[in-house]
Amino acid sequence: GQQLNQSPQSMFIQEGEDVSMNCTSSSIFNTWLWYKQDPGEGPVLLIALYKAGELTSNGRLTAQFGITRKDSFLNISASIPSDVGIYFCAGRGGSEKLVFGKGTKLTVNP
Amino acid sequence: GAVVSQHPSRVICKSGTSVKIECRSLDFQATTMFWYRQFPKQSLMLMATSNEGSKATYEQGVEKDKFLINHASLTLSTLTVTSAHPEDSSFYICSSLKGKETQYFGPGTRLLVL
């Protein structure tokens, strides 16, 4: 079946630094979604990407749908303490179901 | 964004009892909703796809007679964990599909079976 490799697994950064994480797939996806999950909460949608090559921003967040349709990255600029959490990528192939990465745990030191 | 609610947010029950979790799509109609399970420090695991007006589609290894899903309206899906056991303790999260592309998640339900 389809698998997503998300990296890094965890990151420890200083407030103000930029962050980058990415996901790669063994097969082509039609949609890439990036979510953030806080402890004890459901995932919150950050950015949705629907076309290969698409670059989309949401405030300090920027994500791109790779041209090969097998990868996506998420950048966070000028990190702040509230950016702490677990970030998940998710891809949709030929069905409505999503395949999730294993998450990137972000820690921001003030 | 979109708003999806879940009720209850947390529940503690005795082993052998059944627990019903509700998932509501508050600001759009959802023909398709999904139920996930998440263990600590792990990613989301899809349990089943809930389709309005028809039977749910379960993922491999998920017992349909244990996890009953009902999607009786375009805004409500329910998951009933029947004869719950301690190993069913987990974080259950639903999502609603908007259009054909984007899933919006509920806040989750923490289930603890004693």
Side-chain angles (χ1 to χ4, degrees):
Chain A
Q2 294 175 315
Q3 293 184 351
L4 281 184
N5 293 312
Q6 185 172 351
S7 64
Q9 210 170 16
S10 61
M11 301 182 75
F12 296 83
I13 62 170
Q14 292 296 126
E15 183 177 359
E17 289 183 355
D18 297 342
V19 171
S20 184
M21 59 192 79
N22 71 85
C23 278
T24 58
S25 168
S26 57
S27 55
I28 289 173
F29 282 114
N30 297 318
T31 303
W32 283 95
L33 304 169
W34 284 91
Y35 294 90
K36 179 182 181 232
Q37 186 177 27
D38 292 327
E41 301 287 335
V44 173
L45 181 65
L46 299 174
I47 292 179
L49 303 161
Y50 303 112
K51 294 181 182 177
E54 182 179 356
L55 182 71
T56 298
S57 294
N58 178 7
R60 294 178 295 107
L61 278 61
T62 302
Q64 185 159 31
F65 192 144
I67 197 71
T68 65
R69 296 167 64 192
K70 291 185 177 182
D71 64 303
S72 177
F73 71 75
L74 174 71
N75 287 342
I76 305 173
S77 62
S79 59
I80 59 178
S82 61
D83 290 334
V84 165
I86 300 178
Y87 292 79
F88 289 100
C89 63
R92 187 186 71 84
S95 73
E96 296 168 327
K97 296 190 288 188
L98 289 178
V99 178
F100 280 85
K102 293 188 175 181
T104 296
K105 184 176 180 180
L106 179 62
T107 301
V108 180
N109 296 314
Chain B
V3 182
V4 178
S5 69
Q6 274 184 247
H7 178 79
S9 59
R10 55 180 63 202
V11 56
I12 301 173
C13 68
K14 293 182 179 180
S15 185
T17 60
S18 294
V19 174
K20 180 187 282 188
I21 303 170
E22 292 185 349
C23 178
R24 292 182 185 276
S25 181
L26 298 180
D27 57 352
F28 67 93
Q29 293 183 329
T31 305
T32 303
M33 300 172 85
F34 300 89
W35 286 97
Y36 294 83
R37 185 172 180 177
Q38 187 178 35
F39 292 105
K41 298 184 180 181
Q42 293 190 20
S43 189
L44 286 76
M45 183 190 79
L46 180 65
M47 298 175 66
T49 302
S50 172
N51 302 296
E52 189 268 337
S54 64
K55 292 182 179 180
T57 304
Y58 290 82
E59 295 300 299
Q60 193 171 13
V62 179
E63 299 176 57
K64 62 180 182 180
D65 294 330
K66 181 167 183 62
F67 299 99
L68 301 179
I69 292 173
N70 185 281
H71 193 154
S73 78
L74 287 172
T75 60
L76 173 64
S77 176
T78 61
L79 169 68
T80 301
V81 183
T82 62
S83 187
H85 291 284
E87 58 265 30
D88 298 325
S89 299
S90 191
F91 193 50
Y92 292 87
I93 313 173
C94 70
S95 72
S96 292
L97 182 66
K98 189 171 185 179
K100 292 186 178 181
E101 306 279 351
T102 309
Q103 289 187 31
Y104 292 90
F105 286 85
T109 296
R110 176 76 59 190
L111 171 64
L112 177 60
V113 184
L114 302 176

